[in-house]
Each structure stands twice: as C-alpha cells, then as structure tokens.
C-alpha cells in the first residue's frame, strides 16, 4: 500500500492552502499585468549544508508528487479565500480551474546533494509554478533534514538495526513524514502505526515502564507480556534493578527470549554487563536494544558495545540539531512574453549577505575520478559536456502535469544506501568539515 492509494490525509480539503498568502497575491498581480502566462523555470536548492554536514539527503519527493496532484482549489477553499478577501474574483475563477500542467525534474528520492545542487526544477507558466513554492519547500526542507540525520545515524550504526520512535516528540502529522524520511535515510522500522499504515514501513513495539509499574512485581509483568506476545518479545529491564530484571526475564521466558531493552544509565557499561549476564544464563541469542536520547554521536560511541539495535526519537525527528535544510525555491529563467516560442531569459536574485542565486535552467552531474569515485558535483546551463552525459542526476518526475516517476519507498531507501556508499569515505566522518564534494559551475 502506498500514499497514492490512500489519498493525502490533511486538515483541509486539499493541499492548496499549505501555502503562504503572497503566492496568491503575486498570482493576482501577474494576472492583471499580463505576465502570469510567461513560461518560467523555478529551482529548489540550498546555498549551504548545515554546519558540519558532509552531504545532504533528498527526501520527500514522493510526498511532493502527492501534494502537486492534490493541489486543488475546491469550493470550500475558494469560499475561504473569498470570505477573507485575499484575492479578487478573476483570480478566484482562475484558481477554480487550477491544475498543474507543467514538468518537474529532480534528484530522485534518496540521492545525496550538495550546496547549489538543483534538487528540483519546476517548469510551466509563472502562475501555475509560483503557487507550489511553499508546499514543496515545506516537504523537502523537513523530510530532507530528517533523512540526513537518519543517514548519519545509519552510518554510525554500522549495519545494526535502527528503530524510529519519535512520534511523541513532534507534531502528529510531522511524525508520520519523519518516519518516512527516516526509512529513506536507512532506518529499519518505526513505532508509529500511522507511518506503517500509510507507507508500509515495518512497525515494532512491546511495552513501556508503565506496564511494569502496573503489576505487583516485575516477574508478573514479564510473565503477562511473554504469555501474550510470546518468548520472542522484548522485555524492558531497567525499571528497577537491571541485573535482577535480566535474571527474571530469562527465568520467565527462557533462553528463547527475543531481546531486552535498556533505556537509562551508562549504556556502554550496562550493555556489556547485560551481554555477559545473558550469556551466562544461556540466552546467547537474546538481543540487546538500547534507547534513551540517542543521536549519531551516541550511536558511534556504542560501536564497541554488544548492542544489536538502537531506538531513536527526539534527535531524529528534530534533524539532530538541524530541523531544516534551508532550501529555497527561486525563479532562474522566464520567457520575455506569453508566446510559447519565446526564448527563456536567465534571471537571478542579486543581493548582499550570501543570498544571491545563479541564473539559468540547470542540469547537474556527478563527475567521477579515475577510480570511479565522485570528485565533484557539476552544475551547469546549456549543453551537457559529453563526458558527463552518463552521470546526470536529474530525472523526470512530472510530465505535462502527470506523475511519471512514482516508486515504492523501498526503492528510495536502497538508492540512498547505494549513493552514500559511492561517496568518498570521508563523507561518513562525524567530525565537522566541509561538504565531501565541491560544487563546480559551468
């Protein structure tokens, strides 16, 4: 099951109001000025990566495609705009007929990106493209931030299982998209059932400390859980005394006990002690799951510990300190008139403070070195050099208003793992540093 089958559950009848008011007031002014139909090219990019990050991760592309399809001004939405006097009647009449009919190209979901990478390119009339700015940025900025944090945690985990469990640390709808983005970034499962329902992500969960405290003894709680969920369940062993809880857990479930979870204390020390104790009790196959405010640095510090899985919440759903990617949506080319044959004119914002943009409709390619390892992100306008033709990054996502690149979420996850593995080894360093690939403009 995928999101396209379910529709897009939102709090308003469509995604059209997931926007800023100035998108509509610009539309009204452009319609009146006769410039609304000028062919235009908008691009999404970021001028810099969050401090210390070596690469970014493109996530949310599938959600962008859903949002574009659901961007409709139905009677209820139009009534709201009319009641508030946000736009005039001619503009409302135009909005009532709105359907995006342009083209969208972009980096496929799961791909990595760097400063200046044209992550998404939206082409069509100014009117139909400008309306999509806010919802596209909202999705890509959030999901890519979560995916980047997830990717760093996945790399630090070194193949150990990762469970997303941050639903209680963010907005209820953001939790679902965060779980999806975490899966793209390399996580294996989620505790959030809405994410499992919408996106088919594996879900996990057993019990919290409240379940142990409910019962008259820890043994009673463990027995109730094992009798209900089976010996393969995960028992939480840090409610009272860890060593005593481990003994009780194995006594109740036997050596077939699936796992124990540790949620507090010195995780490195406790994990070693619990592993030794489990082995002494004959539960050599019982796994150890650790939770408790983990981030990529804490996960890396546990690399030498006998840990089998990590559960991550707060730090993941907040982007591990960087909850946005600072992506922007800028007009980079437009026609001189509404004539469909009018050539595109490169345009760019010129300003101080590092907020200038680069003009022109762009392509991107990742140039490999003599060993096949990427050495630069090359961004250019005009013809693509022959030697880069087979290394281009943008793919067609929407053609003539129709989505042409919807794919299973697992495909995006696999793509990311492969893209990350192809980068220079320094990309996986958690120490502060510059982007692992420089961006070159042609």
């Amino acid at each position: 099951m995928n999101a396209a089958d379910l529709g897009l559950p939102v709090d308003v009848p469509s995604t059209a109001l997931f926007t800023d008011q100035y998108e509509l007031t610009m539309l009204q002014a452009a319609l009146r000025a006769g410039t609304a139909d000028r062919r235009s090219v908008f691009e999404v990019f970021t001028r810099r990566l969050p401090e210390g990050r070596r690469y970014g991760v493109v996530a949310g592309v599938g959600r962008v495609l859903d949002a574009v399809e659901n961007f409709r001004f139905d009677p209820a939405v139009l009534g709201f705009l009319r009641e508030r006097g946000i736009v005039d009647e001619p503009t409302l009449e135009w909005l009532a007929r709105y359907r995006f009919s342009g083209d969208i190209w972009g980096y496929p979901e799961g791909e990595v990106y760097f400063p200046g990478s044209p992550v998404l390119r939206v082409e069509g009339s100014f009117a139909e493209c400008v309306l999509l700015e806010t919802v596209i940025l909202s999705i890509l900025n959030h999901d890519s931030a979560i995916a980047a944090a997830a990717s760093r945690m996945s790399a630090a985990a070194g193949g150990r299982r990762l469970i997303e469990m941050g639903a209680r640390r963010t907005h209820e709808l953001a939790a679902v998209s965060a779980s999806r983005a975490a899966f793209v970034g390399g996580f294996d499962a989620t505790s959030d059932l809405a994410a499992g329902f919408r996106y088919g992500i594996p879900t996990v969960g057993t019990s919290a400390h409240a379940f142990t405290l409910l019962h008259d003894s820890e043994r009673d709680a463990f027995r109730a859980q094992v009798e209900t969920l089976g010996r393969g369940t995960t028992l939480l062993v840090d409610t009272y005394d860890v060593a005593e809880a481990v003994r009780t857990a194995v006594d109740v479930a036997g050596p077939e006990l699936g796992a124990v979870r540790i949620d507090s204390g010195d995780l490195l020390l406790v994990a070693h002690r619990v592993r030794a104790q489990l082995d002494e009790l004959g539960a050599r196959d019982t796994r150890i799951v650790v939770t408790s405010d983990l981030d990529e640095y804490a996960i890396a510090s546990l690399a030498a510990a006998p840990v089998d899985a990590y559960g991550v919440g707060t730090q993941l759903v907040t982007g591990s300190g960087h909850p946005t990617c600072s992506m922007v949506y800028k007009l980079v080319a437009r026609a001189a008139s509404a004539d469909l044959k009018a050539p595109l004119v490169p345009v760019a914002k010129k300003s101080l403070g590092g907020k200038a943009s680069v003009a022109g409709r762009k392509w991107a390619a990742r140039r490999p070195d003599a060993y096949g390892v990427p050495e630069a992100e090359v961004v250019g306008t005009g013809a693509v050099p022959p030697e880069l033709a087979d290394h281009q990054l943008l793919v067609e996502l929407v053609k003539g208003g129709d989505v042409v690149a919807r794919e299973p979420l697992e495909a995006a996850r696999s793509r990311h793992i492969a893209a990350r593995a192809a980068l220079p080894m320094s990309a996986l360093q958690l120490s502060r540093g510059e982007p692992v690939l420089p961006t070159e403009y042609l």
Side-chain angles (χ1 to χ4, degrees):
M1 183 180 295
N2 60 42
D5 299 324
L6 298 172
L8 196 66
V10 295
D11 291 333
V12 294
S14 77
T15 54
L17 291 184
F18 288 165
T19 192
D20 291 308
Q21 181 168 318
Y22 80 167
E23 315 289 11
L24 273 65
T25 53
M26 281 193 289
L27 168 66
Q28 177 176 310
L31 288 171
R32 183 170 296 182
T35 54
D37 290 331
R38 289 186 176 185
R39 190 160 54 102
S40 300
V41 180
F42 286 83
E43 289 176 351
V44 175
F45 62 94
T46 186
R47 297 182 176 93
R48 63 191 65 84
L49 297 180
E51 185 179 357
R53 297 288 170 90
R54 305 299 180 93
Y55 62 91
V57 180
V58 179
V61 175
R63 295 209 308 122
V64 165
L65 299 180
D66 291 338
V68 171
E69 283 190 331
N70 285 275
F71 205 91
R72 303 285 186 267
F73 291 85
D74 59 27
V77 171
L78 293 170
F80 165 78
L81 298 175
R82 179 178 291 109
E83 178 185 343
R84 294 290 182 93
I86 292 172
V87 290
D88 60 18
E89 284 299 323
T91 305
L92 290 172
E93 293 175 7
W94 190 95
L95 292 173
R97 302 187 300 272
Y98 180 84
R99 298 290 185 275
F100 180 73
S101 62
D103 302 328
I104 300 178
W105 290 71
Y107 282 37
E109 189 155 19
E111 184 57 85
V112 297
Y113 71 88
F114 299 92
S117 296
V119 170
L120 204 73
R121 191 175 72 217
V122 183
E123 305 182 30
S125 71
F126 175 85
E128 62 181 342
C129 294
V130 74
L131 293 180
L132 299 176
E133 175 183 6
T134 303
V135 70
I136 286 176
L137 288 180
S138 176
I139 293 170
L140 292 181
N141 267 314
H142 174 267
D143 290 23
S144 296
I146 306 305
S151 178
R152 285 161 61 85
M153 294 173 190
S154 173
R160 293 173 176 176
R161 186 172 173 81
L162 285 165
I163 304 164
E164 182 278 314
M165 47 197 305
R168 63 191 62 194
R169 295 292 187 258
T170 189
H171 186 280
E172 66 273 17
L173 293 181
V176 182
S177 56
S179 179
R180 182 187 183 280
F183 188 75
V184 171
F187 271 59
D188 301 286
T190 180
S191 65
D192 191 284
L193 291 178
F197 177 72
R198 282 195 63 193
Y199 299 118
I201 302 170
T203 58
V204 296
T206 50
S207 67
H209 295 98
F211 184 77
T212 300
L213 295 170
L214 169 69
H215 292 79
D216 295 334
S217 69
E218 197 167 46
R219 178 177 293 272
D220 288 345
F222 288 172
R223 182 182 297 112
Q225 185 172 327
V226 169
E227 289 177 352
T228 304
L229 301 178
R231 297 177 185 273
T233 191
T234 299
L235 295 177
L236 181 58
V237 295
D238 73 332
T239 305
Y240 303 116
D241 179 84
V242 173
E244 181 60 29
V246 171
R247 281 192 292 271
T248 302
V250 176
D251 187 44
V252 170
E256 299 84 9
L257 174 62
V260 295
R261 178 163 74 94
I262 306 166
D263 188 53
S264 59
D266 183 335
L267 296 179
L268 179 62
L269 175 63
V270 175
H272 277 287
R273 288 177 176 174
V274 168
R275 181 72 271 161
Q277 187 179 10
L278 287 170
D279 291 348
E280 290 173 2
L281 295 170
R284 296 184 176 276
D285 295 327
T286 298
R287 300 177 304 280
I288 296 176
V289 181
V290 296
T291 53
S292 184
D293 292 327
L294 299 177
D295 61 11
E296 60 266 48
Y297 301 102
I299 291 171
S301 73
L302 293 168
V307 172
D308 300 284
Y310 305 94
V312 189
T314 302
Q315 292 301 318
L316 177 61
V317 299
T318 57
S320 194
H322 298 287
T324 180
C325 301
S326 299
M327 290 181 180
V328 294
Y329 184 98
K330 296 299 182 182
L331 181 67
V332 297
R334 52 86 175 168
S337 71
D339 186 342
L340 294 178
K341 296 181 180 180
L344 289 172
V345 178
V347 296
K349 175 181 179 179
K350 295 182 180 180
S351 68
L352 301 176
K355 298 187 73 172
S357 55
V358 178
R361 181 180 184 273
K362 300 173 194 68
W363 50 263
R366 194 159 294 150
R367 187 178 68 232
D369 64 15
Y371 300 95
V373 179
E375 65 177 5
E377 191 90 337
V378 184
V379 177
T381 59
V384 180
E387 65 273 17
L388 295 177
D390 293 335
H391 302 286
Q392 295 186 74
L393 294 164
L394 278 77
V395 300
E396 193 169 28
L397 301 171
V398 176
K399 183 176 183 179
D402 296 324
V403 174
V404 296
R406 188 168 273 115
E407 62 182 2
L409 190 59
E410 181 63 47
R413 184 177 188 273
S414 298
R415 179 182 295 114
H416 174 63
I417 301 303
R420 186 181 67 192
L423 293 174
M425 293 181 64
S426 58
L428 304 185
Q429 293 177 339
L430 295 181
S431 57
R432 294 185 182 277
E434 297 299 314
V436 71
L437 296 184
T439 302
E440 299 178 0
Y441 291 95
L442 294 183

